[in-house]
Amino acid sequence: MPWSYKVPYLLGKPVGISLKNGQGVSGVLCSVYDGQVYVMEYLYHTQFATKHYPVNAIQDMNPFPSSYMPPPPPMPYPQPRPFRS
């Protein structure tokens, strides 16, 4: 299935993009418009940038996999101290 069929399901979600030149980019898919794919990428600290890539430069696009991690087991209750009189 061509990557373009996935776009409606990926808008607003984190994606990984394989470019035909062998590079890869990742970010949140913002839109696909006028032959360009717009992705918000993290730069540094609190800075983000929306970058665009030509549609014909993209080889594939995939959603990020699930990163679910089960919660840790509950901590054992402290043992009661013996009563001393």
Side-chain angles (χ1 to χ4, degrees):
M1 165 189 324
W3 66 266
S4 57
Y5 289 108
K6 303 175 193 176
V7 168
Y9 306 101
L10 298 176
L11 284 171
K13 296 186 176 142
V15 296
I17 299 174
S18 299
L19 300 174
K20 290 180 180 176
N21 67 6
Q23 293 179 313
V25 297
S26 62
V28 175
L29 180 62
C30 296
S31 68
V32 178
Y33 176 75
D34 200 24
Q36 301 284 315
V37 172
Y38 293 85
V39 182
M40 178 148 330
E41 298 177 18
Y42 175 71
L43 296 178
Y44 174 75
H45 193 52
T46 60
Q47 299 175 7
F48 293 82
T50 301
K51 297 187 179 180
H52 57 97
Y53 302 91
V55 166
N56 62 5
I58 296 175
Q59 181 176 347
D60 199 10
M61 183 182 305
N62 291 292
F64 269 55
S66 172
S67 61
Y68 173 78
M69 292 179 61
M75 296 293 293
Y77 289 106
Q79 297 297 320
R81 290 183 162 171
F83 179 73
R84 293 186 182 191
S85 52

